[in-house]
Amino acid sequence: MATTNDLKNGIVLRIDGQLWTVIEFQHVKPGKGGAFVRTKLKNVLSGKVVDRTFNAGIKVETASVDKRDMQYLYKDGDDFVFMDTDTYDQLHVPAATVGDAANFMLENQTALVATNEGAPLYVELPPSVVLEVTYTEPGLQGDRSSAGTKPATLETGYEIQVPLFLEANTKVKVDTRDGSYLGRVND
C-alpha cells in the first residue's frame, strides 16, 4: 500500500482488480477545498488510457510488476514458451498475452516479459527486428524505392509491404509496433 503522495510515473497500481500504470500525475491544491491528485492511467493488459482523480493522502494499492529479458524458445500449442536466461526457468505465455509480438518473434530471440505474481502480463519486443523475406514477387529492372510497394512474406509468416525492388532471401528491418518496413539490412 502507498498513498497518493508516493505516486511516480511508471508505478503500477491495482484498482478494482485491474493493473494500471501511472503515465503522468499532478498534485493540485485549489484555493478552496482539499488537495487532490490528477492522474493519467494506462491499463497494463488492454492499453486503455483513462484520467482518474484521487483525494490527496488516500491509500492506493500498488502491484509489483517484474520485467525480465527472456529468451523465446518455441511454441507449444497455443502457448509461447520463454526461458529466463539467469535461472533457466521456463514460462508458458498464452497467445492472447503475446498478441501482435508473435508476428515478429523467432526462436532464441530475446524479449521483455512482464509478470505479476507469476502471471504473464505482456511481451515487449525491441522497437525493430531484422527478419528475412521468404517470398515476394520478383522485382523488375527499373523499379525504385519511390515507385510503390508490394506484399512480402517474412520468415515468421507475417506479411508486410516492401519497395518493389526487394527480392526474396533479403534481410529487412521491421518496426515491431506497426509492422512497417524500415530498410534493407546488408550482412
Side-chain angles (χ1 to χ4, degrees):
M1 287 296 236
T3 67
T4 53
N5 299 333
D6 301 328
L7 290 182
K8 295 188 294 253
N9 289 347
I11 195 169
V12 179
L13 305 176
R14 184 183 305 275
I15 302 171
D16 301 330
Q18 293 186 326
L19 298 177
W20 299 84
T21 304
V22 176
I23 298 173
E24 57 185 62
F25 68 97
Q26 179 183 15
H27 291 275
V28 179
K29 176 105 176 75
K32 250 197 310 199
F36 58 90
V37 179
R38 191 177 291 136
T39 62
K40 190 173 278 195
L41 304 172
K42 179 179 179 184
N43 189 304
V44 170
L45 296 177
S46 70
K48 179 178 162 187
V49 177
V50 297
D51 292 324
R52 178 116 187 221
T53 303
F54 299 98
N55 289 332
I58 67 162
K59 292 198 179 301
V60 289
E61 187 179 352
T62 58
S64 65
V65 173
D66 186 22
K67 296 179 183 176
R68 291 185 182 185
D69 280 330
M70 294 184 132
Q71 184 178 11
Y72 169 55
L73 296 179
Y74 58 90
K75 190 164 187 211
D76 181 23
D78 284 343
D79 288 355
F80 290 81
V81 180
F82 288 86
M83 178 184 70
D84 187 327
T85 51
D86 296 332
T87 63
Y88 301 108
D89 291 338
Q90 292 186 4
L91 178 68
H92 288 259
V93 181
T97 304
V98 174
D100 290 339
N103 299 327
F104 309 106
M105 282 191 327
L106 292 174
E107 291 180 1
N108 299 323
Q109 184 178 349
T110 303
L112 185 88
V113 179
T115 58
N116 172 252
E117 297 170 5
L121 299 173
Y122 59 87
V123 173
E124 193 174 289
L125 292 177
S128 64
V129 292
V130 175
L131 296 170
E132 189 172 315
V133 174
T134 55
Y135 175 77
T136 187
E137 295 294 325
L140 298 172
Q141 186 64 33
D143 285 339
R144 297 290 171 254
S145 60
S146 61
T149 60
K150 62 182 177 180
T153 305
L154 300 173
E155 57 189 307
T156 59
Y158 188 67
E159 193 172 276
I160 65 169
Q161 293 294 317
V162 297
L164 292 171
F165 66 84
L166 229 63
E167 302 206 0
N169 302 324
T170 306
K171 290 195 183 268
V172 295
K173 196 173 199 179
V174 181
D175 189 323
T176 57
R177 295 166 293 207
D178 60 7
S180 63
Y181 166 83
L182 295 175
R184 190 168 34 176
V185 176
N186 298 324
D187 289 341

